[in-house]
Each structure stands twice: as C-alpha cells, then as structure tokens.
Amino acid sequence: MNDIDAWVWWLVGAVALGIPLVVTAMPEFGMLAVGAAAAAVTAGVGGGVTVQVLVFAAVSVALIAVVRPIAARHRTQRPQLATGVDALKGRQAVVLERVDGAGGRIKLAGEVWSARSLATDRAYEVGEEVDVVEIEGATAIVM
C-alpha cells in the first residue's frame, strides 16, 4: 500500500464515486468525486493526509451545499421564455368569424387561426376580444 502514492488512491476513489453517478444519475456522487479529485491534487502537491481529508470534505460539502439547491431550483422552475404554442396561451385575440363550439376564426399574434369556444354553448361575434386558453393542433381554444 505504501508503494502507491496517495494521489492515486484519491483518483481511484474519484472514479469509484463516478460510477454510481453514471448508473444512478445522482449528482451528489459527482460532487463527492470532484472532492476526491481535489484531494488528489492536494496529495500531489505534498499535502498531508489530514489536509487531504479536509480538502475532500470541504470541497464535497461546498459543492453539495451550493450546487444542489441551484440544480433543484432549475428543475422545478418553468422556462422564463415561452416559445411556440406555449407563448400564445393567455394572449388576447380578435374574432374574425363567429366562434362557437363548432369552430370559427380569430386573429392571434398577427396570424389567422381556426378557433373553438371552450364552452360549447358560448359564441363570440366578429370584433370581440377573446382569451386563448389552449392550443390543440392548429386550433385555438378561446373564452
């Protein structure tokens, strides 16, 4: 065991921590692997065992404390820029041809769209403003 430098063992540990990262997709293993790599660098420049362990712990804990909450926030956060049909939901449109449960036409975002009333018993006349609540294919559902 004394024949192999400490930095090699830390690199082996980093690789060993990287395997469950790939298999389980748990980013915490990657953060621990980075901590082990930092400890390997510390060992490579001559740091003692105590310093190596402290560097491993500090880097790992810092990454988990900082990166994990940021990643969790990004996972739950909706995109700030809606594109495609998602950008049209909630917008107002003007009725060009009577819109009811069977269909009609509206002008939405400068384009003519087929439309259908959300409430099948409700009709909207030419010139009325409606709100787009959903897009189904090429048809806007309005109310």
Side-chain angles (χ1 to χ4, degrees), residues 52-106:
Q52 295 169 30
V53 171
L54 288 175
V55 167
F56 168 73
V59 170
S60 298
V61 169
L63 284 173
I64 290 172
V66 173
V67 174
R68 198 162 176 252
I70 293 170
R73 187 170 44 249
H74 282 281
R75 241 190 341 253
T76 59
Q77 189 178 30
R78 288 190 59 195
Q80 293 180 358
L81 177 63
T83 60
V85 294
D86 290 332
L88 299 175
K89 293 177 187 175
R91 297 202 46 191
Q92 287 193 332
V94 177
V95 176
L96 299 177
E97 295 175 15
R98 177 185 161 100
V99 175
D100 55 23
R105 296 241 180 249
I106 60 171

Side-chain angles (χ1 to χ4, degrees), residues 76-140:
T76 59
Q77 189 178 30
R78 288 190 59 195
Q80 293 180 358
L81 177 63
T83 60
V85 294
D86 290 332
L88 299 175
K89 293 177 187 175
R91 297 202 46 191
Q92 287 193 332
V94 177
V95 176
L96 299 177
E97 295 175 15
R98 177 185 161 100
V99 175
D100 55 23
R105 296 241 180 249
I106 60 171
K107 187 163 193 164
L108 171 62
E111 297 178 353
V112 177
W113 282 72
S114 60
R116 189 175 69 236
S117 175
L118 179 64
T120 54
D121 60 337
R122 178 79 164 98
Y124 302 96
E125 299 301 326
V126 174
E128 279 188 71
E129 287 192 359
V130 291
D131 293 321
V132 176
V133 293
E134 188 66 49
I135 303 287
E136 289 181 1
T139 302

